[in-house]
Amino acid sequence: MNSKITTQPLRVEPFSEDFTGKLSWGVLGNLLLRAANIHASQHRFGYDNVLENKHAWVLSRLVVEMEALPVSGEDFDVSTWVTGVFRQFTDRLYAVTGAANRVYGYAHSVWALIDMESRQPVNLEQLPEGGFSDAFVEKSIPIPGPGRIRVKSQTPCRVLTTYYSDLDINGHVNSIRYIQMMLDLFPKETFEHQRVKRIDVAYCAESYCGETLCFFSEEKAAGVCAVEIRKDDGTVVVRGEITFAD
Amino acid sequence: MNSKITTQPLRVEPFSEDFTGKLSWGVLGNLLLRAANIHASQHRFGYDNVLENKHAWVLSRLVVEMEALPVSGEDFDVSTWVTGVFRQFTDRLYAVTGAANRVYGYAHSVWALIDMESRQPVNLEQLPEGGFSDAFVEKSIPIPGPGRIRVKSQTPCRVLTTYYSDLDINGHVNSIRYIQMMLDLFPKETFEHQRVKRIDVAYCAESYCGETLCFFSEEKAAGVCAVEIRKDDGTVVVRGEITFAD
């Protein structure tokens, strides 16, 4: 057991599934974010720790690739660790596993630490006393990392407004809520016949309560759909790519 | 410790708060439903147990009244028990408490058991071998029970479509999602200046993916707003009443 890797035992609780009976992507996403904070807090660089220096962690990229999702009542583990820093970014990796060494999938996230006053990213290579480098583990995961996502469409396929229940504790639309909104572009039948295999998200700007979000989507290949979420002034909020498999 | 009352120790986890830093009503609602199933399963009348007879539990009413909500990182307990049955309904009560006997609030829910083939409610007073009467506890809670909610308005204040991520494992819009949708009728400023004290919901009909939901609202008294959610054919899906306090 490597103490630099934090493993959380979890269960697919009632009301955390989608209509197919599998753990919903929304709940999975929030569990990944929660695991990040638990791990970081154990190594003294969690939200509360960095707040002492008026810093805050901001999610920049999130890639989740699942071979399968656990079903109602099933036990599973979320393990997470950080591999290092590069300038203003740090990579946090995840493995989602089950009984008998079953692998459900992996996730790759990229985070920046911002100064809450200047809103500028901090250089993570120059943190006092080496920052959180004691926690680094050289352990990779067998999925492609974040990719380049481009959507040229100028015709929105959906326009919606953000509301109170979309917000996180910072008053921003919750990072995982964007994933739900992107999945909601597909009809129910899509999820009856195919499963979501991979979601790759680039977080470009924050959005706030009452803002208008415009969704633009393009099929990139069979089963691969890119989505861009823009405010009505054209600011890109999120880019995402969703890959379906049979 | 009364074994007929199940108490779950919980914590306000990261990403389970609203923008004010308190446990969100959405997360609280799902925790109440989850506690119901855990308690019922312990007494052999949970979802899985009743499914053996092709029955399913359906939430008919939910009243939640909170003096306060726990904040980020705070520990709290959800206790639940059933008081009895009356024809096709059973009352399940809740207490939400914290350290040093602090009471956050209470909830009162009413459930029906339906036959999955006929979609008709089962008479709970005539279940074989007394049904789950062994679990009854005569313990009341100090909040008013479900009330009569009427909305006459014919002019919708919002119209929306339901999507994939709104659905529960049965393919119905999640009971708690309706509460989020009702709260989302209010601007963010409302939640900055007032707190939601009480939510009373009557579940009248199921709605499904891709349906249009029309929201009608009326102020009943200062800080008391009634909301009715109807399908575009006029079918009433949900009636709710939200009470704000300073």
Side-chain angles (χ1 to χ4, degrees), chain A residues 194 219 221-225 242-245:
Chain A
Q194 294 187 288
E219 192 172 13
V224 181
C225 183
I242 298 171
T243 306
F244 289 91

Side-chain angles (χ1 to χ4, degrees), chain A residues 13-15 17-19 21 30 33-34 37 47 72 158 163-165 168-169 177 180 184 188 191, chain B residues 13-15 18-19 21 30 33-34 37 47 72 158 163-165 168-169 177 180 184 188 191 209:
Chain A
E13 307 275 6
F15 306 97
E17 315 97 337
D18 74 359
F19 79 88
N30 280 314
L33 298 192
R34 186 184 139 202
N37 190 46
Y47 285 99
S72 295
R158 182 163 298 154
Y163 299 118
Y164 162 71
S165 70
D168 67 15
I169 192 170
R177 184 74 186 116
Q180 292 181 316
D184 283 349
K188 187 183 176 201
F191 303 97
Chain B
E13 307 274 6
F15 306 98
D18 73 0
F19 80 89
N30 278 313
L33 298 192
R34 186 184 139 202
N37 191 45
Y47 285 101
S72 293
R158 182 163 298 155
Y163 298 119
Y164 163 71
S165 68
D168 66 15
I169 193 169
R177 185 73 188 117
Q180 293 182 314
D184 283 349
K188 188 184 176 201
F191 303 97
C209 193

Side-chain angles (χ1 to χ4, degrees), chain B residues 7-29:
Chain B
T7 300
Q8 281 208 281
L10 297 161
R11 175 171 294 177
V12 183
E13 307 274 6
F15 306 98
S16 65
E17 317 96 338
D18 73 0
F19 80 89
T20 70
K22 296 177 205 122
L23 180 67
S24 75
W25 281 86
V27 171
L28 173 61

Side-chain angles (χ1 to χ4, degrees), chain B residues 65-199:
Chain B
E65 187 166 324
M66 304 296 286
E67 278 312 308
L69 284 157
V71 301
S72 293
E74 218 162 7
D75 290 321
F76 63 102
D77 291 318
V78 170
S79 301
T80 185
W81 62 95
V82 290
T83 54
V85 296
F86 178 69
R87 295 186 187 166
Q88 68 260 49
F89 295 109
T90 179
D91 288 297
R92 169 178 293 286
L93 306 183
Y94 296 89
V96 183
T97 53
N101 293 321
R102 175 168 187 182
V103 174
Y104 287 109
Y106 298 96
H108 185 148
S109 61
V110 180
W111 301 74
L113 187 67
I114 59 157
D115 183 287
M116 294 178 79
E117 282 170 10
S118 69
R119 308 300 294 176
Q120 292 302 305
V122 174
N123 188 329
L124 297 175
E125 294 176 356
Q126 294 176 1
L127 288 176
E129 298 167 42
F132 51 96
S133 57
D134 286 352
F136 297 169
V137 186
E138 280 193 48
K139 179 181 161 75
S140 62
I141 53 176
I143 65 166
R148 187 168 179 272
I149 305 167
R150 284 290 177 276
V151 176
K152 290 176 184 165
S153 168
Q154 295 297 327
T155 308
C157 56
R158 182 163 298 155
V159 176
L160 56 77
T161 306
T162 58
Y163 298 119
Y164 163 71
S165 68
D166 299 322
L167 305 179
D168 66 15
I169 193 169
N170 299 308
H172 306 141
V173 171
N174 177 298
S175 305
I176 304 305
R177 185 73 188 117
Y178 293 116
I179 293 179
Q180 293 182 314
M181 291 172 174
M182 289 193 285
L183 292 174
D184 283 349
L185 296 177
F186 299 90
K188 188 184 176 201
E189 291 70 38
T190 303
F191 303 97
E192 286 167 353
H193 301 122
Q194 295 187 288
R195 66 181 187 84
V196 176
K197 182 186 177 188
R198 177 182 164 99
I199 298 181

